[in-house]
Amino acid sequence: MIKGCIFDLDGVIVDTAKYHYLAWKELADDLGFEFTEKDNERLKGVSRMRSLDILLEVGNKTFDEASKLKFAENKNKRYLDYILNMTPDEILPGVLDFLDDLRSKNIKIALGSASKNAMTILNQLKLKNYFDVVIDGTKVSKAKPDPEVFLKGAEALHLKPEECIVFEDAEAGVEAAIKGGFKCIGIGSPENLGNANYVMKGFENISFDELIYKIEH
Ligand code: B16
Ligand code: MG
């Protein structure tokens, strides 16, 4: 029986990918190479330092660790400038109704995100109070597709993985959820999230009960 839901943040609750893109692109501009939105797709769900490695690979650049740390810090400052201007209007369609539906059914709610900025984003969106548990990039040592972030989420909710549904928009996140023994709903397209138990575009017009039905049939 499902007793808890664990949500990824970027791409599931809010579209921060566009702000990550702008901040990474500004860094690429400074370093003198082009970084496209298509390139940015490769960074979804990936940790900050791994994202930087991919960006530098795109630009065919190599730097020592100290410079890389400076670049990552610099990118994060730019990213923070964007996210500190976010408002609750940016919560993706249907998410609030779905969270309210979970609350009314006493389903536990956790966040399982790779982002170290997750608390700032939840604050900006005024969503903090919905979450019983927040596991973010400051609390995990292994990146998705390792299931650590979701396993820690389930443990903090005092639930077993099989009692939880994970909502994920990234392929690595779906892989992490399945590896961890969770049911997984992919948010996006079945093309790259085909391993999920069910894939949907977003949370509009779907209730928790309907979702359980879709997973079980
Ligand atoms: P930060 P999620 C991930 O969040 C993003 O999808 C990914 O693009 C980003 O690099 C990562 O967080 C780290 O974010 O630089 O804010 O710590 O999708 O796991 O919620
Ligand atoms: Mg995501």
Side-chain angles (χ1 to χ4, degrees):
M1 193 180 148
I2 298 298
K3 297 178 182 166
C5 288
I6 306 180
F7 293 83
D8 173 54
L9 179 61
D10 295 342
V12 169
I13 287 178
V14 73
D15 177 20
T16 44
K18 60 187 176 207
Y19 302 127
H20 279 295
Y21 173 61
L22 292 171
W24 283 125
K25 188 173 160 25
E26 287 166 25
L27 176 65
D29 287 346
D30 287 352
L31 296 174
F33 62 87
E34 207 192 333
F35 184 69
T36 66
E37 281 192 64
K38 191 165 171 259
D39 296 324
N40 192 62
E41 285 301 305
R42 292 175 61 194
L43 310 190
K44 289 189 177 172
V46 169
S47 74
R48 193 180 306 168
M49 290 313 284
R50 177 70 194 125
S51 296
L52 176 62
D53 283 337
I54 296 171
L55 180 108
L56 294 176
E57 197 183 294
V58 169
N60 214 0
K61 305 265 181 202
T62 20
F63 289 98
D64 59 24
E65 277 312 301
S67 309
K68 288 208 294 190
L69 282 172
K70 256 189 12 219
F71 291 148
E73 201 180 304
N74 176 295
K75 178 266 173 179
N76 196 52
K77 276 198 188 124
R78 298 173 200 248
Y79 177 63
L80 275 170
D81 283 344
Y82 289 112
I83 60 175
L84 286 171
N85 281 310
M86 286 175 83
T87 64
D89 296 349
E90 293 184 55
I91 298 170
L92 289 171
V95 169
L96 272 182
D97 284 345
F98 191 77
L99 291 174
D100 281 328
D101 189 28
L102 295 181
R103 275 262 166 269
S104 73
K105 294 183 170 109
N106 286 321
I107 301 295
K108 296 264 182 248
I109 305 176
L111 192 84
S113 164
S115 176
K116 293 191 161 105
N117 296 300
M119 284 312 279
T120 308
I121 297 168
L122 290 184
N123 267 329
Q124 287 297 126
L125 302 178
K126 303 203 186 320
L127 276 182
K128 243 172 69 183
N129 291 341
Y130 277 97
F131 290 87
D132 299 298
V133 158
V134 172
I135 308 293
D136 62 13
T138 65
K139 295 185 180 145
V140 291
S141 54
K142 292 176 223 144
K144 301 168 190 174
D146 190 284
E148 184 188 15
V149 64
F150 300 133
L151 291 173
K152 283 199 167 163
E155 194 187 345
L157 290 176
H158 306 291
L159 296 176
K160 297 186 191 113
E162 60 268 29
E163 293 174 319
C164 302
I165 300 178
V166 167
F167 295 87
E168 252 297 344
D169 70 310
E171 210 173 326
V174 170
E175 207 184 314
I178 301 294
K179 250 194 223 166
F182 296 87
K183 292 268 184 255
C184 184
I185 305 289
I187 306 295
S189 118
E191 264 172 48
N192 56 332
L193 305 176
N195 289 336
N197 298 90
Y198 179 68
V199 181
M200 59 189 196
K201 286 210 172 68
F203 289 90
E204 268 177 309
N205 307 316
I206 187 111
S207 68
F208 176 68
D209 290 344
E210 282 163 340
L211 211 54
I212 296 292
Y213 183 84
K214 299 227 186 252
I215 290 178
E216 286 171 358
H217 290 83

